[in-house]
Amino acid sequence: MGACFVFDLSSIEMNLENRLFELLVDHFDLSKELTSIAFLTIAVLVILLVVWLSNFLFKRFVLNFIRSLPEKRKTYGSELANTNIQNRLA
């Protein structure tokens, strides 16, 4: 029977949260209420940064893919349309 690895993310999150709280309280001399507001503000900023970065990379990937489609897919119809346009212009 295979081994099942289970990570307890809640304990990791709590440990990270506690360390950040201690850093804010000790380094910036904030009260517990202001520390919780600062922590939530930092969390929202990190989430916004991750969302913005993923959106930017996804748009870049999709636009590069869409731009590369005409170069990869030369069909007889597009060639015929190009020659017809060139004949009309000449």
Side-chain angles (χ1 to χ4, degrees), residues 14 23 39-40 54 59 61 66 68-70 72 81 84:
M14 292 302 291
L23 175 75
F39 178 76
L40 291 175
S54 62
K59 282 183 180 179
F61 171 75
I66 290 172
S68 70
L69 283 179
K72 292 181 181 178
N84 285 339

Side-chain angles (χ1 to χ4, degrees), residues 56-69:
F56 175 76
L57 292 175
F58 181 75
K59 282 183 180 179
R60 189 172 179 188
F61 171 75
V62 169
L63 287 176
N64 285 337
F65 177 73
I66 290 172
R67 286 182 188 139
S68 70
L69 283 179

Side-chain angles (χ1 to χ4, degrees), residues 3-43:
C4 181
F5 296 103
V6 178
F7 294 106
D8 188 15
L9 291 178
S10 63
S11 66
I12 294 172
E13 289 175 7
M14 292 302 291
N15 190 14
L16 182 63
E17 185 178 341
N18 288 338
R19 284 186 178 183
L20 186 59
F21 265 66
E22 289 173 7
L23 175 75
L24 290 173
V25 168
D26 294 340
H27 188 64
F28 294 109
D29 295 328
L30 296 176
S31 66
K32 294 290 184 184
E33 294 82 20
L34 289 177
T35 302
S36 62
I37 292 171
F39 178 76
L40 291 175
T41 305
I42 291 170

